[in-house]
Amino acid sequence: MQPTHLGNFYIKNAGPNKIALIDRDQAITYGELDEKINRFASYFLSIGVKPGDRVALSCYNSPLFIYSYFAVTKIGAVIVPLNLMLTPDEAQYILTNSGAKILLAHEKIAQKLSIDAEQWKAKLNLEDIVIFNDKTVQTIDTYPIGALPEVDPNSICALLYTSGTMGKPKGVMLSHNNLLANAHSCNVSLEGTGDDVFLCMLPMFHSFGFTVCVLLPLFSGSSIVIHDTFNPKEALRSINEQGITVLPAVPAMYVILSQALKKRPLSLSTVRIMVSGGAPLPREILNLFLDQFEIPLLEGYGLTEASPVVSFNPLSGVKKLGSVGLPLQDIEVSIVDDSRTKLPSNEVGEIVVKGPNIMIGYYENPEETADTLRDGWLYTGDIGYVDEDGYLFIVDRKKDLIITRGLNVYPREVEEVIYSHPKVLEVAVIGSADRTRGEIVKAVIVLKEDQQLEKEELIDFLYDKLANYKLPRIVEFTDSLPKNAGGKIMKRLLT
């Protein structure tokens, strides 16, 4: 792979007349994509965006998201995609922590977040807020293309926020080469060609969604069918009518698709490969697609700090049930004990990863960076083993981490908000298995003496403080929480 920055790699991998994006009934060629990105980049330069500036992006899955993301990176600025499920307080924390100078927001999201441009600019030290509406987009569409700056492929390209073990999100710094290396390795593993048609229904703000649904297909010169949200009926319609060949999704989506296919059997004859990531894939769902459709459903493993994909079960060769496959090309995986000594095959320890996809570090967080990056290895905190054939198996995930619909929830963050309720004495937040979501958030609560609290009252209290996916779906009240001799709550005893 020739090193290049994220803003222009796509123009080398397909002819200008090849279809790049399909959004509803609109088809956009690679030539048109390049022109749009250049116009957006020139416009952003005109409003004061400079190399190194952090630019936040809050937008639905759309060509507009892709134009903005690539245009920002094409001028050497740093893109900060915002999770669309964040509350205003959560979004403002990321804007403040990242030092974002510009906020790009779709007008519907701006309304949802109650964005008052002047108030937000003053409160968050923003230089400008661009609200994407018809007038703004028309202006950018006709903006003259000017000279663009040179970009160092090893510079920071994206700042992706992932929850920290202490509850506050951390900014993962990824370079242009980190992301492109991962797209290249994924393409080799999945044997991508320009003939593929990807269905993009995973959120583009998510690292897995952007790398596998946007970067990977553009890297291989493929076409992308864009869905702004996941709707099983619409997904199946696109598969049949638009000839989808690659279907990336999280396990919760495959559960829902399997239920929809039971009600309305359809042919998936065009699909050559399905990819699952973001959370463990239930074996019954894997078997359903393998038995009923004979389509490879490849489970993989990754994390944002690795851009994010580390491994996939191979498309060609042995696929081991229960395994997340083999490391991608150019990526090393090892298992170590607490003293950082490498363990032999089939022994359980911490998973560590090395490769060109590994992050630069955590933004303005040298302590966490030093703890996570050691001697070139990324210490994932995940527990697993590698068998004698090199296949990786996950035994446990990061301590306390809950994955619901492929999104990470760290209990400490939820606990801190629940603790702020005046009736709560103690709380432990854990994950509870759920067939559709993979896991849901469960809160076990001890109330202060002589206090009463209903679940509905608690959820009302939390509603504007936490994103919807972080809200407890199960609330259980108890007289006490199990603790060890040191007074630490023993969550493993809670179910």
Side-chain angles (χ1 to χ4, degrees):
M1 180 185 68
Q2 293 298 315
T4 185
H5 64 78
L6 198 70
N8 72 355
F9 80 95
Y10 56 89
I11 62 175
K12 299 181 180 180
N13 300 323
N17 297 321
K18 174 71 188 292
I19 299 298
L21 313 176
I22 301 170
D23 181 42
R24 297 182 176 86
D25 296 326
Q26 180 187 17
I28 299 156
T29 66
Y30 274 84
E32 291 167 335
L33 172 65
D34 187 45
E35 180 184 336
K36 289 276 192 180
I37 290 171
N38 286 328
R39 290 191 189 281
F40 271 66
S42 297
Y43 174 78
F44 293 154
L45 282 173
S46 77
I47 63 172
V49 179
K50 302 179 293 296
D53 284 349
R54 273 78 68 206
V55 178
L57 173 62
S58 188
C59 186
Y60 299 101
N61 281 14
S62 61
L64 185 61
F65 185 105
I66 296 175
Y67 303 154
S68 301
Y69 197 115
F70 279 86
V72 167
T73 63
K74 190 159 191 170
I75 58 180
V78 180
I79 194 76
V80 187
L82 297 180
N83 184 325
L84 299 188
M85 288 178 268
L86 298 179
T87 65
D89 285 350
E90 290 170 321
Q92 289 177 13
Y93 171 81
I94 291 174
L95 291 170
T96 302
N97 183 262
S98 67
K101 296 299 182 184
I102 308 285
L103 169 62
L104 313 174
H106 190 283
E107 61 177 346
K108 291 182 179 178
I109 299 172
Q111 292 170 3
K112 173 188 170 186
L113 293 175
S114 301
I115 291 177
D116 179 292
E118 294 308 313
Q119 288 183 0
W120 276 47
K121 283 165 66 175
K123 181 178 181 180
L124 304 173
N125 198 31
L126 292 165
E127 292 180 359
D128 203 355
I129 295 178
V130 177
I131 305 298
F132 287 131
N133 52 36
D134 290 342
K135 182 179 179 181
T136 307
V137 173
Q138 288 171 4
T139 299
I140 299 174
D141 279 346
T142 58
Y143 201 85
I145 298 172
L148 302 176
E150 292 293 322
V151 177
D152 179 358
N154 292 308
S155 63
I156 302 170
C157 168
L159 193 54
L160 306 182
Y161 274 78
T162 182
S163 294
T165 55
M166 297 307 291
K168 288 297 185 182
K170 297 179 293 185
V172 175
M173 297 184 290
L174 299 176
S175 71
H176 298 260
N177 275 344
N178 286 156
L179 290 163
L180 289 175
N182 203 231
H184 170 67
S185 297
C186 287
N187 190 53
V188 171
S189 179
L190 302 182
E191 302 177 15
T193 73
D195 296 327
D196 278 320
V197 181
F198 284 67
L199 179 56
C200 178
M201 54 189 182
L202 292 169
M204 292 180 183
F205 63 73
H206 194 277
S207 60
F208 180 54
F210 193 76
T211 292
V212 178
C213 294
V214 180
L215 287 185
L216 169 58
L218 293 181
F219 192 94
S220 62
S222 304
S223 301
I224 307 167
V225 176
I226 299 172
H227 284 197
D228 57 0
T229 58
F230 170 59
N231 179 301
K233 291 183 179 179
E234 289 300 308
L236 292 173
R237 182 186 63 81
S238 282
I239 290 171
N240 280 268
E241 294 182 5
Q242 295 176 297
I244 301 299
T245 65
V246 181
L247 180 63
V250 295
M253 290 178 174
Y254 284 118
V255 171
I256 295 170
L257 285 173
S258 68
Q259 294 170 343
L261 285 166
K262 287 179 181 177
K263 295 178 181 178
R264 186 187 176 194
L266 292 171
S267 168
L268 302 181
S269 59
T270 64
V271 180
R272 75 173 183 88
I273 182 174
M274 295 185 288
V275 176
S276 178
L281 179 68
R283 187 164 297 190
E284 61 182 293
I285 301 302
L286 174 62
N287 290 335
L288 172 70
F289 282 97
L290 290 176
D291 296 342
Q292 187 172 346
F293 300 105
E294 297 183 350
I295 301 170
L297 176 50
L298 307 183
E299 186 173 7
Y301 164 72
L303 61 166
T304 303
E305 290 87 340
S307 301
V309 185
V310 171
S311 67
F312 274 130
N313 264 287
L315 180 58
S316 302
V318 176
K319 302 170 187 61
K320 296 193 177 185
L321 291 178
S323 170
V324 291
L326 297 167
L328 303 186
Q329 178 177 290
D330 300 325
I331 296 175
E332 296 179 63
V333 171
S334 189
I335 307 296
V336 300
D337 62 17
D338 291 341
S339 65
R340 305 185 195 176
T341 301
K342 183 177 179 179
L343 296 172
S345 299
N346 297 303
E347 286 202 22
V348 174
E350 182 173 1
I351 301 167
V352 296
V353 181
K354 178 186 284 189
N357 58 316
I358 300 305
M359 69 171 182
I360 297 171
Y362 294 116
Y363 181 68
E364 294 192 343
N365 197 334
E367 295 83 7
E368 288 270 11
T369 298
D371 187 56
T372 305
L373 295 178
R374 308 174 196 171
D375 301 321
W377 289 91
L378 170 68
Y379 281 68
T380 68
D382 293 327
I383 306 302
Y385 65 93
V386 173
D387 73 6
E388 60 281 354
D389 298 317
Y391 285 72
L392 177 62
F393 292 78
I394 308 296
V395 173
D396 203 353
R397 294 191 302 278
K398 291 180 180 178
K399 293 179 181 178
D400 294 342
L401 177 65
I402 301 167
I403 300 180
T404 180
R405 291 190 185 275
L407 297 170
N408 291 353
V409 179
Y410 279 86
R412 177 65 180 270
E413 179 184 11
V414 182
E415 288 166 356
E416 286 182 350
V417 179
I418 294 177
Y419 267 119
S420 68
H421 193 287
K423 295 182 180 180
V424 172
L425 176 65
E426 289 185 311
V427 59
V429 170
I430 59 175
S432 182
D434 181 82
R435 177 178 173 82
T436 300
R437 296 180 176 89
E439 287 183 306
I440 53 177
V441 178
K442 177 179 178 179
V444 184
I445 296 173
V446 178
L447 295 176
K448 293 178 181 177
E449 189 174 357
D450 298 326
Q451 295 292 332
Q452 292 184 339
L453 181 64
E454 298 295 329
K455 174 185 176 181
E456 291 73 19
E457 181 184 347
L458 177 68
I459 298 304
D460 286 344
F461 175 80
L462 301 175
Y463 190 77
D464 62 351
K465 298 176 177 67
L466 292 169
N468 184 266
Y469 69 92
K470 300 176 185 177
L471 293 174
R473 296 301 192 262
I474 301 174
V475 177
E476 180 177 298
F477 296 96
T478 184
D479 292 333
S480 63
L481 294 171
K483 299 182 178 71
N484 64 16
K488 184 176 181 180
I489 296 171
M490 295 187 291
K491 291 187 177 181
R492 69 178 185 276
L493 299 181
L494 299 173
T495 57

